[in-house]
């Protein structure tokens, strides 16, 4: 199963997920090379020693549970038409949803093209934007400059191909990457939350057909120590593993973490357990994944498959005793062809499942387009003069964040009539979220109230 998660390389195609490998099209490679040269010739390297960040900082949020937010990808609201950017900033400022940004890729250029020579211009711009909304910034420490991976040094030499970007630092350069992480932390002293690497990119051993979790854990531990040395208040999490699963009829790498939705890949659990046992420390545990299996088919259906997110969250909490972060979560298979109403209903049920599992933080991987339709986007493209306007997905996440912050006690709610079992409900002492999972209208009775619900309707009720 592959999923489009937004571009990693500046203006390039999305990375493939390890352990699957795919070759970029020749046209995409040529485009990446040209754009990498453009980034290199317009960046500002040499004088920047990485010591000072983009402007004043605000108060730091030191809570390891941030709730519901999103990740910036290649095109985001920090650039585009001035009025559209202002509208999107005002929208984000009204909610305070935590926002994540990677240090290289997904909208950010090479932060250290040569040893000790930095270019934080892109990362500065993103951090400045996050600060301007009053949100809590999160930084993902991925990916690594070419010279740390056996490539050439220099901005002009940056290889933005998927294969290069997804390579892990060589063991001889783990300390260099840890030093870069510490430089980033010192540059943005208000940032307290750091995720180490992304999906164990470059750490899959094709020969052994398993994750090189020993190598990742060595990298993680060096980064952890460097960040804590930079400021003991920094909060660090890993391992950001993809919780891949197989359908119930497929026994490939079957594990005890299973349900009607299937079984999580035992190799993933082995990698997680090794990290958990050998880590120097962690302030939160990070995973990502989809409700559906590697074949892209939700089992028993898109709504029932969300129960996987609950099961995985609970397993991680029991294994680690740490707050559980979902750096990415997906409920819609690629190229689903779903309507906006069905997409929103499925997303709502996925968030319900994460909340039931006790997730402390969940970051929506924000898809972006520069123009035209963008299924699942949070706002209309700011590259258009009428852009920056709220879309239904943003409204859902913002409402959910306000109604079900971390630690919210979930209460039981009675469901009867046509709503049983076709309506999903999540309730707290103050709010009830109701989702019709059918593509037809239903007459349900929820929490003592009669509801006539349209197909795939998402409805909020006060209590």
């Amino acid at each position: 199963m592959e999923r489009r998660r937004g571009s990693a390389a500046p203006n390039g195609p999305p990375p493939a997920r390890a352990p699957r490998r795919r070759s970029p099209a020749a046209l995409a490679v040529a485009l990446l090379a040209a754009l990498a040269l453009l980034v290199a010739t317009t960046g500002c390297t040499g004088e920047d020693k990485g010591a000072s960040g983009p402007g004043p900082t605000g108060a730091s949020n030191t809570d390891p549970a941030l709730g519901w937010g999103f990740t910036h990808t290649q095109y985001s609201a920090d650039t585009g038409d001035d009025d559209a950017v202002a509208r999107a900033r005002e929208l984000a400022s009204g909610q305070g949803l935590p926002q994540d940004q990677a240090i290289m890729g997904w909208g950010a250029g090479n932060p250290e093209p040569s040893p000790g020579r930095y270019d934080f211009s892109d990362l500065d711009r993103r951090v400045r934007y996050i600060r301007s909304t009053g949100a809590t910034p999160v930084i993902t420490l991925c990916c690594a400059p070419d010279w740390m991976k056996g490539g050439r040094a220099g901005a002009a030499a940056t290889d933005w191909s998927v294969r290069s970007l997804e390579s892990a630092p060589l063991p001889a350069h783990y300390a260099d990457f840890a030093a870069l992480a510490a430089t980033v932390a010192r540059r943005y002293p208000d940032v307290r939350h750091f995720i180490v690497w992304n999906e164990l990119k470059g750490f899959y051993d094709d020969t052994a057909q398993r994750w090189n979790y020993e190598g990742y854990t060595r990298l993680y531990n060096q980064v952890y120590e460097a960040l804590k040395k930079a400021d003991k208040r920094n909060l660090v999490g890993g391992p950001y593993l993809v919780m891949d699963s197989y359908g119930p009829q497929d026994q490939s790498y079957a594990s005890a973490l299973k349900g009607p939705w299937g079984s999580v890949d035992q190799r993933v659990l082995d990698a997680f357990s090794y990290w958990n046992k050998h880590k120097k420390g962690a302030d939160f545990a990070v995973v990502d994944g989809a409700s559906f299996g590697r074949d892209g088919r939700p089992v028993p259906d898109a709504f029932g498959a969300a129960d996987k997110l609950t099961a995985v969250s609970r397993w991680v909490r029991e294994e680690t005793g740490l707050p559980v972060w979902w750096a990415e979560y997906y409920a819609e298979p690629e190229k689903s062809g779903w309507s906006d109403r069905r997409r929103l209903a499925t997303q709502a049920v996925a968030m319900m499942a994460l909340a039931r599992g006790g997730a402390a933080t969940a970051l929506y991987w924000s898809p972006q387009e520069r123009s035209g339709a963008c299924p699942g986007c949070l706002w209309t493209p700011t590259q258009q003069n009428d852009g920056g306007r709220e879309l239904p997905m943003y409204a859902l996440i913002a409402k959910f964040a306000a109604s079900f912050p971390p630690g919210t006690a979930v209460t039981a709610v009675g469901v009867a009539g046509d709503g049983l079992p076709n309506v999903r409900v999540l309730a707290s002492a103050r709010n009830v979220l109701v989702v019709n999972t059918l593509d037809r209208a239903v007459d349900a009775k929820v929490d003592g109230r009669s509801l006539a619900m349209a197909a795939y309707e998402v409805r909020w009720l006060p209590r």
Side-chain angles (χ1 to χ4, degrees), residues 156-178:
T158 300
D159 181 357
W160 287 108
S161 68
V162 171
R163 183 180 181 88
S164 174
L165 191 67
E166 293 200 337
S167 295
L170 298 173
H173 289 292
Y174 286 176
D176 292 317
F177 187 78

Side-chain angles (χ1 to χ4, degrees), residues 60-274:
S60 297
N61 183 351
T62 57
D63 193 333
L66 298 182
W68 309 89
F70 61 90
T71 294
H72 290 279
T73 53
Q74 177 53 40
Y75 304 113
S76 198
D78 58 314
T79 60
D81 178 83
D82 289 346
D83 290 340
V85 168
R87 276 191 294 270
R89 179 180 292 109
E90 182 179 2
L91 173 66
S93 298
Q95 307 296 336
L97 304 181
Q99 301 171 33
D100 177 38
Q101 173 61 46
I103 63 169
M104 180 175 176
W106 298 284
N110 190 336
E112 192 178 1
S114 300
R117 296 172 66 87
Y118 301 98
D119 180 1
F120 287 116
S121 54
D122 290 331
L123 190 56
D124 281 354
R125 187 185 67 251
R126 283 283 169 92
V127 172
R128 185 182 299 113
Y129 172 81
I130 295 171
R131 285 174 175 164
S132 74
T133 68
T136 297
V138 177
I139 289 182
T140 293
L141 297 164
C142 183
C143 293
D146 295 51
W147 59 271
M148 296 185 191
K149 303 175 291 191
R152 295 168 54 202
T158 300
D159 181 357
W160 287 108
S161 68
V162 171
R163 183 180 181 88
S164 174
L165 191 67
E166 293 200 337
S167 295
L170 298 173
H173 289 292
Y174 286 176
D176 292 317
F177 187 78
L180 173 59
T183 298
V184 169
R186 288 190 294 267
R187 187 175 184 84
Y188 312 111
D190 55 326
V191 177
R192 285 286 173 264
H193 302 82
F194 296 90
I195 301 174
V196 181
W197 209 240
N198 174 300
E199 295 186 335
L200 267 68
K201 284 178 168 54
F203 285 99
Y204 189 75
D205 187 330
D206 287 309
T207 301
Q209 288 291 293
R210 73 168 179 89
W211 294 101
N212 174 17
Y213 40 76
E214 300 92 343
Y216 168 78
T217 304
R218 286 195 295 272
L219 173 67
Y220 173 89
N221 283 337
Q222 292 191 42
V223 173
Y224 176 87
E225 291 182 321
L227 290 172
K228 291 294 186 178
K229 185 177 180 180
D231 192 317
K232 63 182 180 181
R233 296 170 297 177
N234 287 335
L235 304 178
V236 187
Y240 200 158
L241 269 162
V242 184
M243 304 302 281
D244 272 331
S245 61
Y246 295 86
Q249 303 306 316
D250 187 343
Q251 295 302 302
S252 300
Y253 306 105
S255 72
L257 181 49
K258 60 185 178 180
W261 42 267
S263 168
V264 172
D265 191 324
Q266 182 62 51
R267 298 172 298 177
V268 174
L269 301 186
D270 291 343
F272 190 97
S273 296
Y274 182 91

Side-chain angles (χ1 to χ4, degrees), residues 15-35:
R17 284 182 46 209
R20 293 175 178 77
R21 293 180 292 182
R22 64 184 179 200
S23 298
L27 178 61
V29 172
L31 177 62
L32 286 171
L35 289 168

